[in-house]
Amino acid sequence: MGVSPRSTVRIAEDPADREACFAVRKEVFVAEQGVAEDIEYDAHDAVAVHVLAVGEDGRPLGTGRLLYGEAAADRTGGDVSVGSLGRLAVLRAARGLGVGAALVRAIEEAARARGLTAVDLHAQTQALGFYERLGYTAYGPEFPDAGIPHRAMRRTL
């Protein structure tokens, strides 16, 4: 799951990796975007597949998570064959380096490994172009999430 010769993406399986994921989310969503900390973290974090991008020095660069099965049902119209990509965050210094795309592909890989047929996500409207370039298609109306405009998107695997 490589990003570049200087960084890698991996499943965050140990507690230190998961804490690094949460720290990236806090920096991007809470500090930078003003999302309330009490809604940034939820019960889904305990069952999600978290991915972590790290630089060659081991420092975190970005994160994302995959929900699947019943945990994703409220985000996928109840379709348990569809996963839900969420909480994708890349630190400001690592943006534009392919980290976000590598995280999305790692989440898709995790979805395929679990037998899922598609991945849904709720994209901030300013990020629609990023996800469209990765093969996602928007559907449904714009809606607010944590006070930020979003659109639902899907990519068939």
Side-chain angles (χ1 to χ4, degrees), residues 55-147:
E56 68 181 340
D57 59 2
R59 291 186 190 192
L61 302 174
T63 188
R65 76 178 187 186
L66 171 70
L67 299 178
Y68 60 97
E70 289 304 314
D74 66 330
R75 291 166 168 80
T76 63
D79 188 343
V80 295
S81 72
V82 178
S84 176
L85 182 158
R87 303 303 202 267
L88 189 76
V90 176
L91 295 177
R92 187 183 303 274
R95 293 181 193 152
L97 304 176
V99 174
L103 286 163
V104 169
R105 295 306 186 218
I107 290 167
E108 292 170 348
E109 193 176 300
R112 277 188 203 91
R114 285 156 182 81
L116 302 178
T117 61
V119 173
D120 271 14
L121 58 88
H122 292 166
Q124 293 182 9
T125 55
Q126 54 88 17
L128 286 173
F130 166 77
Y131 290 110
E132 287 169 343
R133 286 189 296 279
L134 294 174
Y136 287 80
T137 303
Y139 65 90
E142 184 175 284
F143 60 92
D145 187 357

Side-chain angles (χ1 to χ4, degrees), residues 13-37:
E13 294 180 305
D14 66 51
D17 277 357
R18 290 173 73 95
E19 286 305 313
C21 291
F22 298 148
V24 168
R25 286 168 47 186
K26 185 172 186 175
E27 175 66 26
V28 172
F29 296 126
V30 178
E32 189 179 319
Q33 296 183 357
V35 173
E37 195 165 355

Side-chain angles (χ1 to χ4, degrees), residues 41-57:
Y41 308 101
D42 60 25
H44 294 304
D45 283 325
V47 297
V49 176
H50 298 270
V51 295
L52 176 67
V54 295
E56 68 181 340
D57 59 2

